[in-house]
Amino acid sequence: MGILFLLAVLLAWPTAGLSVVAYIAFFIFQSFLKAKTRMHHSDKLAAQRAVRAGSERVPTWAGTRDKSETFVYTIQNFAMEHGVPQAFLQAVLGDSNTFKTLVHYAGAMEEEGASFIEQQMAVSEKLIELWSVAPKEVQEAALSE
């Protein structure tokens, strides 16, 4: 970071300080992203606690068919991009109890102030986590299909 600042100061001389302004903007943007990441993680932990405590909050978008289809499509694609086989996803999302729990998790995320996209990310990350902790037999069966 220090080298970047020195470079900004060096380049600021002929540009009347625009490099310093760009450096400050970069620093603020980087701080914003770090804070947003911490908040997302905090929201996920709070939502997990709420679901474990029995919260059955359904997200506001759950009654809208287009939003529900978008939600399911997005979480499946994100999980598959991160190595979760489609057979495993079909089994997990096909189980009504597991699917309800994931929807309640999204509802708890919404209650924490998470956007629709953040809810999708959190549920996708939960699917990836479920895959990573699945027993070897389940993983092998899903990969062989």
Side-chain angles (χ1 to χ4, degrees):
M1 231 22 190
I3 294 173
L4 186 60
F5 179 72
L6 292 176
L7 182 63
V9 169
L10 180 67
L11 294 174
W13 194 282
T15 60
L18 290 178
S19 297
V20 173
V21 172
Y23 173 78
I24 293 170
F26 172 75
F27 182 74
I28 291 171
F29 181 70
Q30 184 181 26
S31 298
F32 171 77
L33 287 180
K34 285 181 182 179
K36 190 78 171 156
T37 301
R38 281 193 303 274
M39 287 303 299
H40 179 69
H41 183 69
S42 172
D43 289 346
K44 285 189 332 183
L45 292 176
Q48 287 173 3
R49 281 192 300 271
V51 170
R52 271 191 240 120
S55 170
E56 294 187 356
R57 186 180 192 296
V58 177
T60 55
W61 51 262
T64 310
R65 182 177 180 178
D66 290 342
K67 284 276 201 172
S68 297
E69 289 175 356
T70 300
F71 179 79
V72 172
Y73 177 79
T74 303
I75 63 172
Q76 283 182 326
N77 283 340
F78 186 83
M80 285 190 298
E81 286 175 8
H82 288 82
V84 180
Q86 187 167 6
F88 180 79
L89 290 172
Q90 287 175 341
V92 168
L93 297 175
D95 179 54
S96 63
N97 289 332
T98 306
F99 187 72
K100 275 188 207 176
T101 302
L102 292 172
V103 170
H104 292 155
Y105 180 53
M109 286 291 295
E110 184 178 75
E111 194 169 10
E112 292 296 322
S115 69
F116 183 62
I117 293 172
E118 290 170 327
Q119 293 169 42
Q120 292 173 11
M121 292 223 14
V123 173
S124 298
E125 291 165 358
K126 181 58 75 177
L127 288 170
I128 294 166
E129 181 184 326
L130 289 173
W131 169 249
S132 69
V133 299
K136 276 269 194 241
E137 304 83 41
V138 171
Q139 289 184 354
E140 290 170 358
L143 289 171
S144 68
E145 288 185 24

Short mmCIF file of all heavy atoms in Angstrom, two decimals, residues 30-46 118:
data_model
loop_
_atom_site.label_atom_id
_atom_site.label_comp_id
_atom_site.label_asym_id
_atom_site.label_seq_id
_atom_site.Cartn_x
_atom_site.Cartn_y
_atom_site.Cartn_z
N GLN A 30 -11.75 0.04 -1.57
CA GLN A 30 -11.22 -1.19 -0.97
C GLN A 30 -11.76 -1.36 0.46
O GLN A 30 -12.16 -2.46 0.85
CB GLN A 30 -9.70 -1.15 -0.96
CG GLN A 30 -9.06 -2.42 -0.46
CD GLN A 30 -7.54 -2.33 -0.45
OE1 GLN A 30 -6.97 -1.24 -0.35
NE2 GLN A 30 -6.89 -3.46 -0.55
N SER A 31 -11.82 -0.30 1.21
CA SER A 31 -12.37 -0.36 2.57
C SER A 31 -13.85 -0.71 2.54
O SER A 31 -14.33 -1.49 3.37
CB SER A 31 -12.18 0.98 3.28
OG SER A 31 -10.82 1.28 3.41
N PHE A 32 -14.57 -0.16 1.58
CA PHE A 32 -16.00 -0.47 1.43
C PHE A 32 -16.20 -1.95 1.14
O PHE A 32 -17.07 -2.58 1.73
CB PHE A 32 -16.60 0.39 0.31
CG PHE A 32 -18.00 0.00 -0.06
CD1 PHE A 32 -19.07 0.36 0.74
CD2 PHE A 32 -18.25 -0.74 -1.21
CE1 PHE A 32 -20.36 0.00 0.41
CE2 PHE A 32 -19.53 -1.11 -1.55
CZ PHE A 32 -20.60 -0.74 -0.74
N LEU A 33 -15.40 -2.50 0.24
CA LEU A 33 -15.53 -3.92 -0.09
C LEU A 33 -15.22 -4.82 1.10
O LEU A 33 -15.90 -5.82 1.33
CB LEU A 33 -14.63 -4.28 -1.27
CG LEU A 33 -15.06 -3.78 -2.64
CD1 LEU A 33 -14.07 -4.21 -3.71
CD2 LEU A 33 -16.45 -4.27 -2.99
N LYS A 34 -14.22 -4.47 1.87
CA LYS A 34 -13.89 -5.25 3.06
C LYS A 34 -15.03 -5.20 4.07
O LYS A 34 -15.39 -6.22 4.67
CB LYS A 34 -12.59 -4.74 3.70
CG LYS A 34 -11.34 -5.13 2.96
CD LYS A 34 -10.11 -4.61 3.65
CE LYS A 34 -8.87 -4.96 2.88
NZ LYS A 34 -7.65 -4.43 3.53
N ALA A 35 -15.61 -4.02 4.27
CA ALA A 35 -16.72 -3.89 5.20
C ALA A 35 -17.93 -4.67 4.72
O ALA A 35 -18.62 -5.33 5.51
CB ALA A 35 -17.08 -2.41 5.39
N LYS A 36 -18.20 -4.63 3.42
CA LYS A 36 -19.33 -5.35 2.85
C LYS A 36 -19.14 -6.86 3.05
O LYS A 36 -20.09 -7.57 3.37
CB LYS A 36 -19.45 -5.01 1.37
CG LYS A 36 -20.69 -5.46 0.70
CD LYS A 36 -21.84 -4.56 1.05
CE LYS A 36 -23.03 -4.93 0.19
NZ LYS A 36 -24.27 -4.54 0.77
N THR A 37 -17.93 -7.35 2.87
CA THR A 37 -17.63 -8.77 3.06
C THR A 37 -17.84 -9.17 4.52
O THR A 37 -18.42 -10.22 4.81
CB THR A 37 -16.19 -9.07 2.62
OG1 THR A 37 -16.05 -8.73 1.25
CG2 THR A 37 -15.83 -10.53 2.81
N ARG A 38 -17.37 -8.33 5.44
CA ARG A 38 -17.56 -8.62 6.87
C ARG A 38 -19.04 -8.63 7.22
O ARG A 38 -19.50 -9.48 7.99
CB ARG A 38 -16.82 -7.59 7.73
CG ARG A 38 -15.33 -7.84 7.84
CD ARG A 38 -14.69 -7.00 8.94
NE ARG A 38 -14.89 -5.58 8.78
CZ ARG A 38 -14.11 -4.77 8.06
NH1 ARG A 38 -13.07 -5.27 7.42
NH2 ARG A 38 -14.35 -3.48 7.97
N MET A 39 -19.82 -7.72 6.67
CA MET A 39 -21.25 -7.66 6.95
C MET A 39 -21.96 -8.90 6.40
O MET A 39 -22.86 -9.44 7.04
CB MET A 39 -21.88 -6.39 6.37
CG MET A 39 -21.51 -5.13 7.13
SD MET A 39 -21.95 -5.20 8.89
CE MET A 39 -23.71 -5.39 8.79
N HIS A 40 -21.57 -9.34 5.20
CA HIS A 40 -22.18 -10.53 4.61
C HIS A 40 -21.91 -11.74 5.50
O HIS A 40 -22.81 -12.53 5.78
CB HIS A 40 -21.64 -10.75 3.20
CG HIS A 40 -22.18 -11.97 2.52
ND1 HIS A 40 -23.49 -12.06 2.11
CD2 HIS A 40 -21.60 -13.14 2.19
CE1 HIS A 40 -23.70 -13.24 1.56
NE2 HIS A 40 -22.55 -13.92 1.59
N HIS A 41 -20.69 -11.86 5.96
CA HIS A 41 -20.34 -12.98 6.84
C HIS A 41 -21.13 -12.89 8.15
O HIS A 41 -21.64 -13.90 8.65
CB HIS A 41 -18.83 -12.98 7.11
CG HIS A 41 -18.38 -14.12 7.95
ND1 HIS A 41 -18.38 -15.42 7.50
CD2 HIS A 41 -17.93 -14.17 9.23
CE1 HIS A 41 -17.95 -16.22 8.47
NE2 HIS A 41 -17.68 -15.48 9.52
N SER A 42 -21.23 -11.71 8.70
CA SER A 42 -21.99 -11.51 9.93
C SER A 42 -23.47 -11.84 9.73
O SER A 42 -24.09 -12.49 10.59
CB SER A 42 -21.84 -10.05 10.38
OG SER A 42 -22.70 -9.77 11.44
N ASP A 43 -24.03 -11.42 8.59
CA ASP A 43 -25.43 -11.73 8.28
C ASP A 43 -25.64 -13.24 8.17
O ASP A 43 -26.65 -13.77 8.64
CB ASP A 43 -25.87 -11.05 6.98
CG ASP A 43 -26.00 -9.54 7.12
OD1 ASP A 43 -26.02 -9.04 8.26
OD2 ASP A 43 -26.09 -8.86 6.07
N LYS A 44 -24.68 -13.93 7.54
CA LYS A 44 -24.80 -15.38 7.41
C LYS A 44 -24.81 -16.06 8.76
O LYS A 44 -25.60 -16.97 9.01
CB LYS A 44 -23.66 -15.93 6.54
CG LYS A 44 -23.80 -15.66 5.09
CD LYS A 44 -22.81 -16.38 4.20
CE LYS A 44 -21.50 -16.73 4.78
NZ LYS A 44 -20.56 -17.35 3.86
N LEU A 45 -23.92 -15.64 9.65
CA LEU A 45 -23.87 -16.25 10.98
C LEU A 45 -25.16 -16.00 11.75
O LEU A 45 -25.69 -16.91 12.39
CB LEU A 45 -22.67 -15.71 11.76
CG LEU A 45 -21.29 -16.12 11.24
CD1 LEU A 45 -20.20 -15.43 12.05
CD2 LEU A 45 -21.12 -17.62 11.29
N ALA A 46 -25.67 -14.79 11.68
CA ALA A 46 -26.93 -14.47 12.38
C ALA A 46 -28.09 -15.27 11.79
O ALA A 46 -28.95 -15.76 12.53
CB ALA A 46 -27.21 -12.97 12.29
N GLU A 118 -27.50 -11.24 -2.29
CA GLU A 118 -26.76 -11.73 -1.13
C GLU A 118 -27.41 -13.00 -0.57
O GLU A 118 -26.70 -13.91 -0.10
CB GLU A 118 -26.68 -10.65 -0.05
CG GLU A 118 -25.79 -9.50 -0.42
CD GLU A 118 -25.89 -8.33 0.53
OE1 GLU A 118 -26.98 -8.08 1.08
OE2 GLU A 118 -24.86 -7.65 0.73
#
